[in-house]
Amino acid sequence: MTEDLKPQAPDITPPCVILNEPQLAENIGSVARVMANFGLSELRLVRPRDGWPQERAWASASGAHWPLDDAKVFDTLEAAIADLKLVYATTARPRETRLPVYTPRESAGHLADEVAQGRKVGLLFGGERAGLETHDIALCQAIVSIPIDERFRSLNLAQAVSINAYEWKMTQDDRPWKKFELNVEEPADQATLMGLYEHLEDELDKAGFYHPPEKKPSMVRNLRVPLARARLTDQEVRTFRGVITALSKGRGRVLAKLAEKAAKNKE
Amino acid sequence: MTEDLKPQAPDITPPCVILNEPQLAENIGSVARVMANFGLSELRLVRPRDGWPQERAWASASGAHWPLDDAKVFDTLEAAIADLKLVYATTARPRETRLPVYTPRESAGHLADEVAQGRKVGLLFGGERAGLETHDIALCQAIVSIPIDERFRSLNLAQAVSINAYEWKMTQDDRPWKKFELNVEEPADQATLMGLYEHLEDELDKAGFYHPPEKKPSMVRNLRVPLARARLTDQEVRTFRGVITALSKGRGRVLAKLAEKAAKNKE
C-alpha cells in the first residue's frame, strides 16, 4: 500500500524538510502529509521530544507514510544539515541575525534555482513552542518569513511547512493542471451567437416585449451585452435556444386558452 | 509629503470563508486559526455535521476565537452566499463545470481587485470527505485549484484555507496604493442571481422543459453556469427576468390584443 503510493524518484531532488526539536508526533505526521501534498519527501528530525518512531505520527499523516518511514533522526542540527548546500530557516520572528529575509515565494525561487543545478537544499523549521534559536538560524544562509498578521502570529508547524511546500510546488510547475483549463470550452463563434440573439429578439417581438418600440435598439443591446460577456459555448447556445423555444411554446398555450376564453365571452 | 496627503488605510473587507458541510469541529477551529494568521475573520458554516457551536472548535483554534465567536450558520449554501458579489470555489478536482480555473495566486489577485472596489467576496470550501458537489460549484463564478501533487491529493481542509489565505495576505502586503477604474458595473449579489435562476427554472418547469425529469439537475446546472459566469448587474437581472416573463406569458396589453385577434379569427 505504502509502496504503491510512494512517488518514484524524480529527476530533481526537492528540498528536504528539517524539524528542529519538534514536540508533538501528531504535528510531525501533519508535516509529512503536507510534504506529500506538494511533492516533498525527505524529512529530517533533530532531537524529537518524545523519541522516534511515534505511532501517532503515522496516524495523523493520512496515508502519507513515506516521509515518516524514511525520516532520519539526528542529535544535532549541524549533523542534520551537514550535506546540504543551502539551508533557509523559516521563522515568523526574524531576529537580529544578519541574514537576508525572504518571503516564502522568494525563497522557493532560490531553492528551485539551486536544485536545478543539482544541489541539495533544505528548509529548517523550529519546534512548536520555542521556534528557532538565534544560534540555529546562524547556521543557515537566509531567513524565510511568512507574512503573518501581526495580531495573531501563532502559526501551526504544518501550516508553516505547507506554505513553503506550496511555493516550492509553484516553482516546479506554475500550472500543473493546465489540462483543466479546457474546462472553459471553445466559445461559440459570433455567427452562432447572432443566431441566438436573433432567435431571442424575434420571440420577444412576438411577445410584445419592445415597448415603447423606439426603445427597441437599446433594449436589444442590453440583452446582447451580458450574453456576449458570458462567452457561451456551442452547447450552451443550443441550451438557451431550447429555453427560448420552451418558454415561447408555453406562452402559445396560454395564448390559445385566452383566445378560447375571449371567444366564449363573445358568444 | 504633508500629513493630509498621507494615504489612509483603506477600509476593506477581506474575503469571507464559507465551509460547506464541514464535519469535524477541530477542523473548523484550525480553519479559524489560519484565517486569523492571515487577517481573515468572517466565517460562515453551511450545515456543520455536528451542529454549532462545538467546544472542540474553540479548543483547536489556539486562541483565534473571533472567527468562531462571530461565525454564522446557514441551512443552505444559497443563503450563505446571498450577499456576496463574487464567490470562488476551492476544489482539488475541477469537475467538468464550465467555469474558469485559477491558481490560489490568481484567485487572490481577483479577490483583492474586487475587495478594493468595496465588494463583498467569499471563498467556498467543501467538507472533509466529499468536497464540493458540482451543483455547489455551479453557484460560483470560478474554481480555485491548489497545485497538489497528483500522487497524494488528500489535502487537509485548514491547509486548503491557509494556502488561499496566505495568497490573499500576499496581495495585501504587495499592494501599494492602486487606483481602480470602475469601468465594470457593480455585479448583482448571489441572492439576486438565485432569484433569476429560480424564476427561469420555474417557468421552464411549467413549460415542460425538463425531460426526462431525472436530467433536471444537470440541465439546471448547465443553465446556471453561463449565467454565473456573465456576472450580471442588477439591471441586467431585471431585464432577463422581464425576458422570461415576456417569453412565457407575453406582455399584458399586447397579449390581450393578440387574444382578441385570435378570437376574431375563430368567428
Side-chain angles (χ1 to χ4, degrees):
Chain A
M1 170 66 189
T2 302
E3 277 313 304
D4 294 334
L5 273 174
K6 189 169 172 176
Q8 299 303 300
D11 307 318
I12 56 146
T13 305
C16 68
V17 169
I18 307 126
L19 304 183
N20 192 50
E21 303 191 343
Q23 302 185 293
L24 298 171
E26 287 85 351
N27 283 341
I28 301 174
S30 298
V31 166
R33 180 176 179 180
V34 298
M35 287 175 64
N37 283 148
F38 296 110
L40 305 184
S41 58
E42 190 178 342
L43 178 61
R44 302 180 179 190
L45 307 173
V46 182
R47 296 188 299 276
R49 186 189 65 185
D50 302 331
W52 192 259
Q54 287 283 326
E55 226 172 79
R56 284 165 303 142
W58 274 259
S60 66
S62 291
H65 290 172
W66 55 96
L68 300 173
D69 296 340
D70 298 342
K72 288 186 198 79
V73 181
F74 297 85
D75 286 334
T76 65
L77 177 57
E78 286 82 347
I81 63 175
D83 61 325
L84 304 179
K85 296 292 180 70
L86 188 81
V87 186
Y88 278 12
T90 297
T91 169
R93 296 175 294 267
R95 315 288 168 97
E96 53 285 2
T97 317
R98 287 198 205 105
L99 285 174
V101 179
Y102 297 120
T103 63
R105 185 164 307 163
E106 292 166 327
S107 152
H110 300 172
L111 295 174
D113 288 346
E114 298 282 322
V115 162
Q117 296 183 46
R119 298 180 187 154
K120 287 210 73 167
V121 302
L123 278 163
L124 170 65
F125 299 84
E128 292 91 331
R129 178 162 290 277
L132 291 169
E133 296 297 328
T134 313
H135 59 86
D136 301 324
I137 296 174
L139 295 173
C140 301
Q141 275 69 44
I143 290 170
V144 186
S145 184
I146 297 174
I148 294 290
D149 192 302
E150 290 295 331
R151 296 162 296 188
F152 188 72
R153 305 187 61 82
S154 159
L155 186 70
N156 173 270
L157 176 58
Q159 300 290 354
V161 175
S162 85
I163 299 293
N164 282 281
Y166 156 76
E167 287 286 9
W168 157 261
K169 185 69 163 61
M170 287 294 279
T171 66
Q172 293 309 293
D173 196 342
D174 215 11
R175 319 257 333 190
W177 54 91
K178 207 141 198 164
K179 54 181 187 263
F180 292 124
E181 264 195 309
L182 300 173
N183 254 1
V184 178
E185 277 173 47
E186 201 56 25
D189 60 28
Q190 304 302 312
T192 306
L193 290 181
M194 215 62 68
L196 170 66
Y197 300 160
E198 283 165 6
H199 184 182
L200 176 61
E201 290 152 15
D202 185 46
E203 286 296 344
L204 285 173
D205 220 353
K206 289 183 196 160
F209 183 74
Y210 303 113
H211 142 98
E214 62 269 25
K215 273 203 173 171
K216 181 172 171 179
S218 73
M219 292 172 89
V220 163
R221 210 165 48 235
N222 290 341
L223 287 170
R224 288 185 177 189
V225 165
L227 289 170
R229 226 164 46 211
R231 305 208 66 193
L232 303 173
T233 65
D234 283 333
Q235 179 54 52
E236 287 168 346
V237 167
R238 281 192 293 275
T239 302
F240 275 100
R241 294 192 67 155
V243 163
I244 295 165
T245 302
L247 292 178
S248 307
K249 274 192 188 149
R251 182 182 78 248
R253 280 195 299 269
V254 174
L255 195 66
K257 263 186 205 161
L258 282 172
E260 225 169 86
K261 205 175 157 193
K264 239 178 221 165
N265 287 346
K266 271 210 165 179
E267 274 167 23
Chain B
M1 194 194 286
T2 66
E3 266 314 296
D4 32 343
L5 278 177
K6 212 172 173 182
Q8 298 298 303
D11 186 19
I12 59 151
T13 305
C16 68
V17 169
I18 307 127
L19 303 183
N20 192 49
E21 302 192 342
Q23 301 184 294
L24 299 172
E26 287 84 351
N27 283 340
I28 301 174
S30 299
V31 166
R33 180 176 178 180
V34 299
M35 287 174 65
N37 283 149
F38 296 110
L40 305 183
S41 58
E42 191 177 342
L43 178 61
R44 301 178 179 192
L45 307 173
V46 182
R47 295 187 300 274
R49 187 189 65 185
D50 301 331
W52 191 258
Q54 288 283 325
E55 226 172 80
R56 286 165 301 142
W58 274 259
S60 67
S62 292
H65 289 172
W66 54 99
L68 301 173
D69 295 339
D70 298 341
K72 288 187 197 74
V73 180
F74 297 86
D75 286 336
T76 65
L77 178 56
E78 285 84 345
I81 63 174
D83 61 326
L84 304 179
K85 294 294 177 71
L86 188 82
V87 186
Y88 278 14
T90 298
T91 170
R93 297 174 294 267
R95 316 286 169 95
E96 51 284 3
T97 316
R98 293 196 198 104
L99 285 175
V101 180
Y102 298 119
T103 63
R105 186 164 307 166
E106 292 167 326
S107 152
H110 300 172
L111 295 174
D113 286 345
E114 299 279 325
V115 162
Q117 295 186 38
R119 295 178 186 157
K120 287 211 74 167
V121 302
L123 278 162
L124 170 65
F125 299 84
E128 291 90 332
R129 178 161 288 276
L132 290 170
E133 296 295 330
T134 314
H135 59 85
D136 301 324
I137 296 174
L139 295 173
C140 300
Q141 274 69 42
I143 290 170
V144 186
S145 185
I146 296 173
I148 294 291
D149 192 301
E150 290 294 335
R151 298 161 297 188
F152 188 72
R153 305 187 60 82
S154 161
L155 186 70
N156 172 268
L157 176 58
Q159 300 291 351
V161 175
S162 85
I163 299 292
N164 282 282
Y166 157 75
E167 286 286 9
W168 157 261
K169 185 67 162 62
M170 286 294 279
T171 66
Q172 297 307 296
D173 289 0
D174 279 356
R175 191 165 290 260
W177 288 86
K178 196 173 165 184
K179 299 268 180 195
F180 292 95
E181 296 190 11
L182 294 163
N183 52 357
V184 176
E185 272 174 64
E186 201 55 22
D189 60 30
Q190 306 296 317
T192 305
L193 290 180
M194 214 69 67
L196 169 65
Y197 300 161
E198 284 164 7
H199 184 182
L200 175 61
E201 290 152 16
D202 186 48
E203 286 297 345
L204 285 172
D205 219 352
K206 289 182 196 157
F209 182 73
Y210 304 115
H211 88 102
E214 62 268 25
K215 274 204 173 171
K216 180 172 172 179
S218 74
M219 293 173 87
V220 161
R221 210 163 50 234
N222 290 340
L223 287 171
R224 286 184 178 192
V225 165
L227 290 171
R229 227 164 46 208
R231 303 205 68 195
L232 304 173
T233 64
D234 283 332
Q235 179 53 52
E236 287 167 347
V237 168
R238 281 194 293 275
T239 301
F240 275 101
R241 294 192 67 155
V243 163
I244 296 164
T245 302
L247 289 178
S248 56
K249 298 198 167 66
R251 209 169 158 136
R253 240 170 347 156
V254 178
L255 195 68
K257 264 187 205 160
L258 285 170
E260 224 171 87
K261 201 174 159 192
K264 240 179 222 166
N265 289 345
K266 263 206 168 178
E267 276 167 25

